[in-house]
Amino acid sequence: MKHLAKTFVVSAALFASTLLPVHAELDVGGLKAAIEASVEADYPRLEALYKDLHAHPELAFEEVKTAAKLAAEMRSLGFEVTEKVGKTGLVAIFGNGDGPVIMVRTELDALPMEEKTGLAYASRDKTIWNGVETFVAHSCGHDIHMTSWVGTAKTLVGLKDRWQGTLMFIAQPAEETVSGARAMLADGLFTRFRKPDYGFALHDGPIPYGYVLYRVGVGSSNSDSLSIKFRGRGGHGATPQATIDPVMIAARFIVDVQSVISREKDPTEFGVVSIGAIHAGTAENIIPDDALVLGTIRTFKPGVRAKMLAGIERTANAATAMSDAPAPEIRITEGAKAIMNDPAVVATAEKVLKAAFGDKLRISPPGTPSEDFSEFGNAGVPSMMFNIGVYEPERWAAANNGGLPLPANHSPLFAPVPKPTIETGIKAMTLAVLSAFDQHARGK
Ligand SMILES: [Zn+2]
Ligand SMILES: [Zn+2]
């Protein structure tokens, strides 16, 4: 029986190897040409979509019209679209035979700020945000991501004889408030739909267009927000002896907390505390009752994060103790976790991207901003996020040769050059997805 079984296995293997085509290496040159032709043909439509998204941005969890536009695009490509996943998110599925499920994520949201690019398609839209009227702008470039996402879907559908499996394209709300990924997961993203085998996302940034930046391991920072209410005892500015001055305590904390970074943290490890807002008092001659300090804490490693949180708390309590004030109210709210790019997914994509982009594919240092794309990786999806550039290479070179720095994401002047940026986004994302399908088909 044992012998027979072995014979059968051997002959079945022979049979398979004779009749099934040997899986060839991905023809990156041919694919690149096919992708470029597809993008060129679609570009007028994609640019119209980009300019429309750019001119009419929406804030976190309010991306109703934006989501509806993307849902219509994906349905027209034959995707099955489910709306309102995680409030305003979308899940678009395209099945193409047996194979892995590959997730591609875009964000939907914009920022509460005024765009000052002067572009013909600049946003002048306003909305009410936290009770206050504000301009809205796509100053983080999520409109580039959305357009690349639609273009990638179109390109992959056009190349469907080159891959087998399922595309799971998700449009995530509220990345800027690092809450949209969690909202989609809590709404059953990986239970109502299949859990993906691989996940990809891209982000644009102030580097030359045509370039793709990536890294293995840490890709973004842990982000925590800090809120401390220092409590004092208000009174007349001319009689400080009868008061406990919370402004003084807050000032002491703001200066001393930087010593947690410079004296307690290992200097070779990344860690930042930035105080972004101070709210206290009403008039020059009144010592207020309390002072509110708001800030952000960024780290890469959990151990560094723990050390910094402990140091911040100790410093706040010490500043308070010096003035014999009541204990401060310290609130640290956990935000996004650092992105960990999966080494195997990156290694597979890297080979294909290198063949397509040559020396325009570069390894980047870890980014210090935060990103909730990390939520999907932490939920068990091996993932990769990479960056693409948005500016003319000559302009970038001039800026790096002593010129003015180019406006980065979140600047009111952030203005990607649409065509080469979107083309690079589609080309890189399509090839990354194809690399994962191909690797899976080879059985790794
Ligand atoms: Zn942003
Ligand atoms: Zn962003």
Side-chain angles (χ1 to χ4, degrees):
M1 188 66 201
K2 210 171 176 181
H3 183 73
L4 252 178
K6 197 172 176 186
T7 314
F8 173 76
V9 170
V10 170
S11 55
L14 271 173
F15 180 76
S17 66
T18 339
L19 293 192
L20 293 174
V22 175
H23 200 93
E25 281 281 318
L26 261 191
D27 167 23
V28 179
L31 280 172
K32 192 179 156 202
I35 295 165
E36 281 166 355
S38 160
V39 177
E40 192 60 39
D42 287 337
Y43 189 72
R45 195 182 148 83
L46 291 170
E47 185 175 280
L49 173 67
Y50 170 68
K51 289 184 174 169
D52 181 33
L53 294 169
H54 187 94
H56 302 295
E58 294 172 299
L59 295 178
F61 290 129
E62 292 176 1
E63 313 94 330
V64 177
K65 289 180 192 147
T66 306
K69 287 170 197 170
L70 296 197
E73 293 285 341
M74 299 304 268
R75 285 198 178 104
S76 78
L77 294 173
F79 280 73
E80 191 181 316
V81 180
T82 307
E83 293 177 71
K84 297 186 181 150
V85 181
K87 292 190 188 162
T88 44
L90 294 181
V91 178
I93 306 281
F94 187 93
N96 185 32
D98 281 346
V101 179
I102 299 189
M103 183 177 84
V104 179
R105 174 271 218 168
T106 183
E107 317 90 314
L108 292 163
D109 60 328
L111 289 160
M113 59 187 287
E114 184 177 2
E115 176 172 354
K116 294 177 179 167
T117 60
L119 290 166
Y121 51 92
S123 164
R124 298 309 300 160
D125 286 7
K126 287 182 177 177
T127 192
I128 304 294
W129 183 245
N130 295 332
V132 180
E133 190 181 54
T134 173
F135 281 102
V136 189
H138 263 305
S139 305
C140 203
H142 296 179
D143 46 356
I144 290 278
H145 308 172
M146 287 186 263
T147 311
S148 303
W149 183 84
V150 169
T152 301
K154 172 95 200 277
T155 310
L156 284 166
V157 169
L159 292 169
K160 67 174 192 273
D161 57 333
R162 311 290 280 271
W163 57 272
Q164 273 192 10
T166 300
L167 298 176
M168 180 177 180
F169 272 54
I170 68 162
Q172 180 209 301
E175 188 282 323
E176 294 294 354
T177 56
V178 290
S179 44
R182 259 179 237 170
M184 289 191 87
L185 288 167
D187 200 8
L189 180 63
F190 293 163
T191 50
R192 286 164 59 196
F193 308 90
R194 279 168 66 191
K195 186 172 169 183
D197 296 286
Y198 310 102
F200 291 98
L202 59 76
H203 208 298
D204 53 13
I207 52 172
Y209 57 62
Y211 281 75
V212 177
L213 268 58
Y214 73 103
R215 63 175 292 103
V216 182
V218 178
S220 70
S221 67
N222 294 303
S223 141
D224 296 280
S225 45
L226 170 68
S227 160
I228 305 181
K229 190 181 200 179
F230 290 104
R231 295 183 295 173
R233 190 170 60 237
H236 202 290
T239 56
Q241 74 281 11
T243 73
I244 296 176
D245 184 353
V247 174
M248 181 90 174
I249 301 170
R252 199 173 267 149
F253 167 79
I254 290 164
V255 173
D256 284 350
V257 76
Q258 295 306 328
S259 70
V260 175
I261 310 299
S262 66
R263 304 289 87 185
E264 295 184 36
K265 180 184 67 59
D266 178 342
T268 63
E269 299 285 3
F270 167 71
V272 161
V273 180
S274 290
I275 303 303
I278 313 165
H279 301 293
T282 53
E284 78 280 8
N285 58 354
I286 307 168
I287 291 172
D289 266 337
D290 44 53
L292 182 69
V293 170
L294 304 174
T296 187
I297 306 157
R298 304 298 171 103
T299 51
F300 290 147
K301 295 186 180 165
V304 177
R305 175 175 177 268
K307 182 155 217 157
M308 284 180 46
L309 297 191
I312 288 165
E313 198 171 329
R314 209 171 348 93
T315 308
N317 284 321
T320 303
M322 278 181 79
S323 297
D324 201 17
E329 290 168 31
I330 306 173
R331 271 208 340 258
I332 290 168
T333 313
E334 206 176 302
K337 289 282 193 312
I339 289 177
M340 297 299 284
N341 283 322
D342 183 79
V345 175
V346 173
T348 301
E350 184 181 44
K351 268 186 258 164
V352 172
L353 292 173
K354 190 83 202 161
F357 289 93
D359 70 355
K360 290 186 176 169
L361 179 75
R362 300 276 173 90
I363 292 179
S364 64
T368 56
S370 297
E371 240 302 334
D372 67 356
F373 183 62
S374 56
E375 294 287 333
F376 306 116
N378 289 336
V381 180
S383 301
M384 175 182 184
M385 181 169 212
F386 55 86
N387 287 84
I388 58 170
V390 304
Y391 285 126
E392 296 89 343
E394 312 76 49
R395 219 181 135 205
W396 184 84
N400 277 274
N401 256 325
L404 282 177
L406 294 176
N409 309 65
H410 292 211
S411 156
L413 301 173
F414 184 66
V417 182
K419 192 169 188 225
T421 305
I422 292 165
E423 281 175 348
T424 303
I426 297 172
K427 209 191 301 181
M429 187 56 85
T430 303
L431 288 168
V433 170
L434 288 172
S435 78
F437 275 128
D438 179 65
Q439 187 74 0
H440 197 92
R442 291 158 191 271
K444 304 199 173 174

